[in-house]
Amino acid sequence: MSAARLWHAGRAAWLRRRLRDPAYAFLFDAPALHEWVSLDCETTGLDTRNDDIISIAAVRIVGERIVASERLELLVRPRRPVSRDSVCVHLLREQDVAGGLPVEEAVAQVLRFVGSRPIVGYYIAFDIAMLNRAVRPLLGIGLPQPTIDVGTMFHRYQEPRQTPYQQLTTPRIDLRFATLMRELDLPEREAHDALNDAVMAAMAFIKLRRLMAGA
């Protein structure tokens, strides 16, 4: 077993011992082979301590296929008013999310949908941090699943392909989502919609896995 696998196994065992509700022990089951979940959250802002989730979407990935029939789309009722600035980003108004689920109920649905599958996303650390604010009071731990960031994958794929001149003149690889999709020759959907972003991240993940396997 590799050092990375040993570390993940040790971390999972440590987290499982601290799991508050045994009903969620399924989060530590062995995940199905070649299955992942691509996930995205829309929020009232970028402050992981004070802003709120207002929508969550997730889609299953099986092998090289996005299972569009198995997706999760949830509106979440925020604890604070939705600011005008955030509406300009995700187009979700106060009245749109007023009937949404309490975040605790939404997170419980997310946990059941994801199960023990690794979670894929674009800058996924932000989404995980937002979700963990509701997950920790419920489970006593943060989300235990491994996470895979497509931005990091794209950087690892692109870096060896830079010419020496590019490395000197443009050492930073453009990791914007639109650039990533364009460079991978993938169709773009309207951004800052949780389902669209989850689907685009899934497409990028599948394409990058194929490219990196053949590199």
Tab-separated table of all heavy atoms in Angstrom, residues 41-88:
chain	number	residue	atom	x	y	z
A	41	CYS	N	-21.501	24.224	-4.678
A	41	CYS	CA	-22.403	25.037	-3.854
A	41	CYS	C	-22.386	26.474	-4.359
A	41	CYS	O	-21.338	26.988	-4.744
A	41	CYS	CB	-21.960	25.043	-2.393
A	41	CYS	SG	-21.900	23.432	-1.601
A	42	GLU	N	-23.535	27.111	-4.333
A	42	GLU	CA	-23.599	28.563	-4.505
A	42	GLU	C	-23.848	29.161	-3.124
A	42	GLU	O	-24.600	28.588	-2.318
A	42	GLU	CB	-24.697	28.966	-5.484
A	42	GLU	CG	-24.431	28.521	-6.913
A	42	GLU	CD	-23.147	29.093	-7.473
A	42	GLU	OE1	-22.881	30.288	-7.257
A	42	GLU	OE2	-22.397	28.328	-8.133
A	43	THR	N	-23.235	30.298	-2.864
A	43	THR	CA	-23.260	30.873	-1.517
A	43	THR	C	-23.542	32.370	-1.565
A	43	THR	O	-23.509	32.994	-2.626
A	43	THR	CB	-21.912	30.641	-0.814
A	43	THR	OG1	-20.876	31.328	-1.545
A	43	THR	CG2	-21.574	29.148	-0.757
A	44	THR	N	-23.799	32.931	-0.395
A	44	THR	CA	-24.049	34.377	-0.320
A	44	THR	C	-22.768	35.190	-0.384
A	44	THR	O	-22.802	36.411	-0.434
A	44	THR	CB	-24.799	34.728	0.975
A	44	THR	OG1	-24.012	34.295	2.103
A	44	THR	CG2	-26.164	34.067	1.016
A	45	GLY	N	-21.618	34.532	-0.367
A	45	GLY	CA	-20.331	35.218	-0.420
A	45	GLY	C	-19.203	34.224	-0.265
A	45	GLY	O	-19.426	33.007	-0.277
A	46	LEU	N	-18.004	34.727	-0.109
A	46	LEU	CA	-16.818	33.872	-0.082
A	46	LEU	C	-16.211	33.710	1.310
A	46	LEU	O	-15.124	33.156	1.446
A	46	LEU	CB	-15.761	34.446	-1.036
A	46	LEU	CG	-16.189	34.528	-2.506
A	46	LEU	CD1	-15.095	35.186	-3.340
A	46	LEU	CD2	-16.538	33.154	-3.060
A	47	ASP	N	-16.917	34.184	2.330
A	47	ASP	CA	-16.442	34.060	3.706
A	47	ASP	C	-16.954	32.736	4.268
A	47	ASP	O	-18.153	32.596	4.549
A	47	ASP	CB	-16.948	35.238	4.535
A	47	ASP	CG	-16.380	35.259	5.948
A	47	ASP	OD1	-15.993	34.197	6.462
A	47	ASP	OD2	-16.350	36.347	6.561
A	48	THR	N	-16.065	31.773	4.435
A	48	THR	CA	-16.499	30.441	4.864
A	48	THR	C	-16.990	30.412	6.309
A	48	THR	O	-17.592	29.425	6.733
A	48	THR	CB	-15.358	29.422	4.705
A	48	THR	OG1	-14.215	29.872	5.433
A	48	THR	CG2	-14.986	29.259	3.238
A	49	ARG	N	-16.745	31.474	7.064
A	49	ARG	CA	-17.211	31.522	8.452
A	49	ARG	C	-18.570	32.186	8.597
A	49	ARG	O	-19.353	31.829	9.481
A	49	ARG	CB	-16.196	32.266	9.321
A	49	ARG	CG	-14.876	31.538	9.478
A	49	ARG	CD	-13.984	32.236	10.473
A	49	ARG	NE	-12.747	31.517	10.699
A	49	ARG	CZ	-11.824	31.884	11.574
A	49	ARG	NH1	-11.994	32.983	12.299
A	49	ARG	NH2	-10.721	31.168	11.716
A	50	ASN	N	-18.863	33.150	7.718
A	50	ASN	CA	-20.066	33.959	7.930
A	50	ASN	C	-21.094	33.897	6.811
A	50	ASN	O	-22.259	34.218	7.041
A	50	ASN	CB	-19.661	35.424	8.146
A	50	ASN	CG	-18.826	35.610	9.393
A	50	ASN	OD1	-19.215	35.206	10.480
A	50	ASN	ND2	-17.643	36.208	9.243
A	51	ASP	N	-20.684	33.513	5.604
A	51	ASP	CA	-21.656	33.437	4.516
A	51	ASP	C	-22.405	32.115	4.555
A	51	ASP	O	-22.004	31.179	5.253
A	51	ASP	CB	-20.955	33.652	3.173
A	51	ASP	CG	-20.635	35.120	2.932
A	51	ASP	OD1	-21.558	35.952	3.060
A	51	ASP	OD2	-19.471	35.443	2.641
A	52	ASP	N	-23.481	32.033	3.791
A	52	ASP	CA	-24.360	30.866	3.823
A	52	ASP	C	-24.464	30.200	2.458
A	52	ASP	O	-24.367	30.860	1.414
A	52	ASP	CB	-25.776	31.274	4.263
A	52	ASP	CG	-25.828	31.741	5.701
A	52	ASP	OD1	-25.103	31.184	6.530
A	52	ASP	OD2	-26.608	32.672	5.992
A	53	ILE	N	-24.714	28.902	2.476
A	53	ILE	CA	-25.024	28.158	1.257
A	53	ILE	C	-26.466	28.468	0.854
A	53	ILE	O	-27.354	28.486	1.700
A	53	ILE	CB	-24.861	26.647	1.490
A	53	ILE	CG1	-23.398	26.305	1.783
A	53	ILE	CG2	-25.363	25.849	0.283
A	53	ILE	CD1	-23.190	24.866	2.225
A	54	ILE	N	-26.691	28.694	-0.440
A	54	ILE	CA	-28.065	28.893	-0.911
A	54	ILE	C	-28.488	27.848	-1.950
A	54	ILE	O	-29.686	27.708	-2.213
A	54	ILE	CB	-28.296	30.312	-1.471
A	54	ILE	CG1	-27.265	30.644	-2.541
A	54	ILE	CG2	-28.252	31.345	-0.348
A	54	ILE	CD1	-27.524	31.979	-3.205
A	55	SER	N	-27.551	27.146	-2.530
A	55	SER	CA	-27.909	26.027	-3.402
A	55	SER	C	-26.769	25.018	-3.445
A	55	SER	O	-25.602	25.379	-3.307
A	55	SER	CB	-28.268	26.489	-4.818
A	55	SER	OG	-27.132	26.975	-5.499
A	56	ILE	N	-27.147	23.764	-3.624
A	56	ILE	CA	-26.192	22.662	-3.722
A	56	ILE	C	-26.630	21.781	-4.880
A	56	ILE	O	-27.820	21.490	-5.035
A	56	ILE	CB	-26.148	21.806	-2.442
A	56	ILE	CG1	-25.922	22.673	-1.194
A	56	ILE	CG2	-25.077	20.729	-2.540
A	56	ILE	CD1	-26.095	21.904	0.114
A	57	ALA	N	-25.671	21.351	-5.677
A	57	ALA	CA	-25.969	20.375	-6.734
A	57	ALA	C	-24.854	19.356	-6.790
A	57	ALA	O	-23.690	19.653	-6.483
A	57	ALA	CB	-26.135	21.061	-8.085
A	58	ALA	N	-25.213	18.152	-7.190
A	58	ALA	CA	-24.223	17.076	-7.305
A	58	ALA	C	-24.680	16.102	-8.378
A	58	ALA	O	-25.881	15.900	-8.587
A	58	ALA	CB	-24.057	16.353	-5.968
A	59	VAL	N	-23.708	15.516	-9.085
A	59	VAL	CA	-23.999	14.495	-10.089
A	59	VAL	C	-23.041	13.331	-9.894
A	59	VAL	O	-21.891	13.514	-9.489
A	59	VAL	CB	-23.864	15.034	-11.534
A	59	VAL	CG1	-24.956	16.032	-11.840
A	59	VAL	CG2	-22.486	15.646	-11.780
A	60	ARG	N	-23.509	12.134	-10.199
A	60	ARG	CA	-22.668	10.942	-10.099
A	60	ARG	C	-21.842	10.780	-11.357
A	60	ARG	O	-22.290	11.073	-12.470
A	60	ARG	CB	-23.520	9.690	-9.903
A	60	ARG	CG	-23.959	9.444	-8.471
A	60	ARG	CD	-24.693	8.120	-8.380
A	60	ARG	NE	-23.819	6.999	-8.697
A	60	ARG	CZ	-24.260	5.817	-9.165
A	60	ARG	NH1	-25.541	5.617	-9.366
A	60	ARG	NH2	-23.414	4.856	-9.413
A	61	ILE	N	-20.615	10.312	-11.175
A	61	ILE	CA	-19.733	9.955	-12.279
A	61	ILE	C	-19.439	8.466	-12.138
A	61	ILE	O	-19.025	8.001	-11.074
A	61	ILE	CB	-18.408	10.741	-12.218
A	61	ILE	CG1	-18.657	12.247	-12.207
A	61	ILE	CG2	-17.510	10.356	-13.394
A	61	ILE	CD1	-17.414	13.058	-11.847
A	62	VAL	N	-19.669	7.729	-13.210
A	62	VAL	CA	-19.356	6.299	-13.227
A	62	VAL	C	-18.446	6.054	-14.426
A	62	VAL	O	-18.860	6.228	-15.581
A	62	VAL	CB	-20.626	5.435	-13.336
A	62	VAL	CG1	-20.264	3.957	-13.390
A	62	VAL	CG2	-21.562	5.708	-12.159
A	63	GLY	N	-17.210	5.709	-14.151
A	63	GLY	CA	-16.250	5.525	-15.224
A	63	GLY	C	-16.032	6.828	-15.972
A	63	GLY	O	-15.617	7.827	-15.399
A	64	GLU	N	-16.345	6.853	-17.247
A	64	GLU	CA	-16.228	8.063	-18.061
A	64	GLU	C	-17.601	8.616	-18.412
A	64	GLU	O	-17.763	9.331	-19.401
A	64	GLU	CB	-15.426	7.773	-19.326
A	64	GLU	CG	-13.973	7.426	-19.052
A	64	GLU	CD	-13.105	7.607	-20.276
A	64	GLU	OE1	-13.650	7.757	-21.382
A	64	GLU	OE2	-11.864	7.616	-20.106
A	65	ARG	N	-18.569	8.352	-17.562
A	65	ARG	CA	-19.945	8.758	-17.858
A	65	ARG	C	-20.513	9.571	-16.702
A	65	ARG	O	-20.368	9.211	-15.542
A	65	ARG	CB	-20.803	7.507	-18.089
A	65	ARG	CG	-22.230	7.784	-18.517
A	65	ARG	CD	-22.871	6.491	-18.999
A	65	ARG	NE	-22.873	5.462	-17.971
A	65	ARG	CZ	-23.917	5.205	-17.170
A	65	ARG	NH1	-25.038	5.898	-17.271
A	65	ARG	NH2	-23.846	4.247	-16.265
A	66	ILE	N	-21.134	10.687	-17.048
A	66	ILE	CA	-21.884	11.473	-16.061
A	66	ILE	C	-23.304	10.932	-16.050
A	66	ILE	O	-23.984	10.913	-17.079
A	66	ILE	CB	-21.893	12.970	-16.432
A	66	ILE	CG1	-20.468	13.521	-16.457
A	66	ILE	CG2	-22.747	13.761	-15.450
A	66	ILE	CD1	-20.364	14.908	-17.055
A	67	VAL	N	-23.753	10.479	-14.896
A	67	VAL	CA	-25.091	9.876	-14.789
A	67	VAL	C	-26.085	11.012	-14.510
A	67	VAL	O	-26.403	11.319	-13.356
A	67	VAL	CB	-25.130	8.808	-13.687
A	67	VAL	CG1	-26.472	8.072	-13.717
A	67	VAL	CG2	-23.980	7.811	-13.866
A	68	ALA	N	-26.554	11.634	-15.593
A	68	ALA	CA	-27.420	12.811	-15.458
A	68	ALA	C	-28.740	12.484	-14.771
A	68	ALA	O	-29.346	13.347	-14.133
A	68	ALA	CB	-27.686	13.416	-16.835
A	69	SER	N	-29.170	11.233	-14.867
A	69	SER	CA	-30.438	10.857	-14.235
A	69	SER	C	-30.309	10.752	-12.725
A	69	SER	O	-31.317	10.709	-12.018
A	69	SER	CB	-30.935	9.533	-14.808
A	69	SER	OG	-29.991	8.501	-14.559
A	70	GLU	N	-29.068	10.679	-12.227
A	70	GLU	CA	-28.842	10.588	-10.783
A	70	GLU	C	-28.127	11.852	-10.323
A	70	GLU	O	-26.897	11.911	-10.282
A	70	GLU	CB	-28.030	9.336	-10.452
A	70	GLU	CG	-28.770	8.052	-10.770
A	70	GLU	CD	-28.020	6.824	-10.302
A	70	GLU	OE1	-27.287	6.929	-9.296
A	70	GLU	OE2	-28.155	5.772	-10.947
A	71	ARG	N	-28.918	12.858	-10.050
A	71	ARG	CA	-28.348	14.141	-9.635
A	71	ARG	C	-29.134	14.679	-8.449
A	71	ARG	O	-30.266	14.267	-8.190
A	71	ARG	CB	-28.374	15.153	-10.774
A	71	ARG	CG	-29.772	15.505	-11.279
A	71	ARG	CD	-29.678	16.482	-12.439
A	71	ARG	NE	-30.994	16.917	-12.886
A	71	ARG	CZ	-31.685	16.318	-13.838
A	71	ARG	NH1	-31.201	15.230	-14.424
A	71	ARG	NH2	-32.871	16.784	-14.192
A	72	LEU	N	-28.517	15.603	-7.772
A	72	LEU	CA	-29.128	16.243	-6.604
A	72	LEU	C	-29.131	17.745	-6.843
A	72	LEU	O	-28.100	18.322	-7.192
A	72	LEU	CB	-28.310	15.915	-5.353
A	72	LEU	CG	-28.863	16.392	-4.011
A	72	LEU	CD1	-30.087	15.578	-3.628
A	72	LEU	CD2	-27.792	16.275	-2.930
A	73	GLU	N	-30.276	18.374	-6.671
A	73	GLU	CA	-30.395	19.829	-6.791
A	73	GLU	C	-31.223	20.336	-5.616
A	73	GLU	O	-32.382	19.954	-5.473
A	73	GLU	CB	-31.089	20.227	-8.084
A	73	GLU	CG	-30.301	20.022	-9.349
A	73	GLU	CD	-31.062	20.511	-10.564
A	73	GLU	OE1	-30.990	21.722	-10.874
A	73	GLU	OE2	-31.761	19.681	-11.194
A	74	LEU	N	-30.621	21.171	-4.788
A	74	LEU	CA	-31.299	21.657	-3.593
A	74	LEU	C	-31.154	23.163	-3.461
A	74	LEU	O	-30.077	23.710	-3.674
A	74	LEU	CB	-30.693	21.007	-2.335
A	74	LEU	CG	-30.690	19.478	-2.252
A	74	LEU	CD1	-29.885	19.035	-1.047
A	74	LEU	CD2	-32.105	18.944	-2.194
A	75	LEU	N	-32.258	23.826	-3.104
A	75	LEU	CA	-32.191	25.213	-2.664
A	75	LEU	C	-32.125	25.211	-1.148
A	75	LEU	O	-32.799	24.405	-0.488
A	75	LEU	CB	-33.413	25.996	-3.136
A	75	LEU	CG	-33.471	26.342	-4.630
A	75	LEU	CD1	-34.772	27.055	-4.951
A	75	LEU	CD2	-32.282	27.196	-5.053
A	76	VAL	N	-31.316	26.092	-0.605
A	76	VAL	CA	-31.096	26.131	0.842
A	76	VAL	C	-31.472	27.510	1.358
A	76	VAL	O	-31.069	28.532	0.783
A	76	VAL	CB	-29.617	25.829	1.172
A	76	VAL	CG1	-29.400	25.815	2.688
A	76	VAL	CG2	-29.185	24.502	0.555
A	77	ARG	N	-32.245	27.533	2.434
A	77	ARG	CA	-32.674	28.807	3.022
A	77	ARG	C	-31.551	29.380	3.882
A	77	ARG	O	-31.151	28.773	4.875
A	77	ARG	CB	-33.926	28.589	3.869
A	77	ARG	CG	-34.534	29.878	4.419
A	77	ARG	CD	-35.912	29.630	4.989
A	77	ARG	NE	-35.901	28.774	6.157
A	77	ARG	CZ	-36.414	27.542	6.208
A	77	ARG	NH1	-36.958	27.003	5.128
A	77	ARG	NH2	-36.378	26.834	7.318
A	78	PRO	N	-31.021	30.547	3.511
A	78	PRO	CA	-29.911	31.118	4.292
A	78	PRO	C	-30.398	31.729	5.598
A	78	PRO	O	-31.575	32.075	5.738
A	78	PRO	CB	-29.341	32.191	3.356
A	78	PRO	CG	-30.518	32.619	2.535
A	78	PRO	CD	-31.379	31.394	2.364
A	79	ARG	N	-29.483	31.861	6.536
A	79	ARG	CA	-29.826	32.456	7.825
A	79	ARG	C	-29.827	33.984	7.746
A	79	ARG	O	-30.433	34.646	8.577
A	79	ARG	CB	-28.826	32.003	8.896
A	79	ARG	CG	-28.879	30.508	9.188
A	79	ARG	CD	-27.899	30.126	10.293
A	79	ARG	NE	-28.035	28.734	10.676
A	79	ARG	CZ	-27.359	27.737	10.136
A	79	ARG	NH1	-26.501	27.992	9.178
A	79	ARG	NH2	-27.533	26.499	10.548
A	80	ARG	N	-29.129	34.531	6.759
A	80	ARG	CA	-29.026	35.984	6.612
A	80	ARG	C	-29.618	36.396	5.269
A	80	ARG	O	-29.708	35.579	4.352
A	80	ARG	CB	-27.555	36.427	6.697
A	80	ARG	CG	-26.880	36.070	8.013
A	80	ARG	CD	-25.366	36.306	7.934
A	80	ARG	NE	-24.693	35.868	9.145
A	80	ARG	CZ	-24.358	34.614	9.408
A	80	ARG	NH1	-24.656	33.675	8.541
A	80	ARG	NH2	-23.742	34.289	10.532
A	81	PRO	N	-29.968	37.666	5.110
A	81	PRO	CA	-30.495	38.127	3.823
A	81	PRO	C	-29.485	37.932	2.698
A	81	PRO	O	-28.276	37.977	2.916
A	81	PRO	CB	-30.773	39.619	4.059
A	81	PRO	CG	-30.897	39.762	5.539
A	81	PRO	CD	-29.991	38.734	6.140
A	82	VAL	N	-29.994	37.700	1.501
A	82	VAL	CA	-29.147	37.554	0.323
A	82	VAL	C	-28.797	38.950	-0.188
A	82	VAL	O	-29.675	39.747	-0.491
A	82	VAL	CB	-29.859	36.749	-0.774
A	82	VAL	CG1	-28.964	36.601	-1.999
A	82	VAL	CG2	-30.279	35.379	-0.246
A	83	SER	N	-27.517	39.243	-0.283
A	83	SER	CA	-27.100	40.591	-0.679
A	83	SER	C	-27.275	40.806	-2.181
A	83	SER	O	-27.284	39.853	-2.970
A	83	SER	CB	-25.634	40.827	-0.309
A	83	SER	OG	-24.794	40.052	-1.145
A	84	ARG	N	-27.390	42.059	-2.565
A	84	ARG	CA	-27.539	42.402	-3.981
A	84	ARG	C	-26.311	41.949	-4.773
A	84	ARG	O	-26.427	41.479	-5.901
A	84	ARG	CB	-27.729	43.913	-4.130
A	84	ARG	CG	-27.971	44.364	-5.559
A	84	ARG	CD	-28.239	45.853	-5.614
A	84	ARG	NE	-29.409	46.208	-4.831
A	84	ARG	CZ	-29.833	47.470	-4.673
A	84	ARG	NH1	-29.145	48.474	-5.202
A	84	ARG	NH2	-30.913	47.716	-3.961
A	85	ASP	N	-25.137	42.085	-4.161
A	85	ASP	CA	-23.909	41.692	-4.860
A	85	ASP	C	-23.898	40.203	-5.185
A	85	ASP	O	-23.477	39.790	-6.273
A	85	ASP	CB	-22.679	42.035	-4.009
A	85	ASP	CG	-22.415	43.535	-3.950
A	85	ASP	OD1	-22.983	44.267	-4.793
A	85	ASP	OD2	-21.650	43.960	-3.072
A	86	SER	N	-24.350	39.372	-4.237
A	86	SER	CA	-24.330	37.935	-4.499
A	86	SER	C	-25.388	37.538	-5.525
A	86	SER	O	-25.181	36.611	-6.311
A	86	SER	CB	-24.505	37.133	-3.204
A	86	SER	OG	-25.799	37.277	-2.674
A	87	VAL	N	-26.526	38.240	-5.546
A	87	VAL	CA	-27.561	37.968	-6.548
A	87	VAL	C	-27.006	38.195	-7.950
A	87	VAL	O	-27.315	37.458	-8.891
A	87	VAL	CB	-28.806	38.839	-6.313
A	87	VAL	CG1	-29.800	38.697	-7.476
A	87	VAL	CG2	-29.493	38.459	-5.003
A	88	CYS	N	-26.149	39.204	-8.098
A	88	CYS	CA	-25.540	39.493	-9.408
A	88	CYS	C	-24.663	38.340	-9.889
A	88	CYS	O	-24.443	38.183	-11.091
A	88	CYS	CB	-24.705	40.770	-9.334
A	88	CYS	SG	-25.690	42.266	-9.101
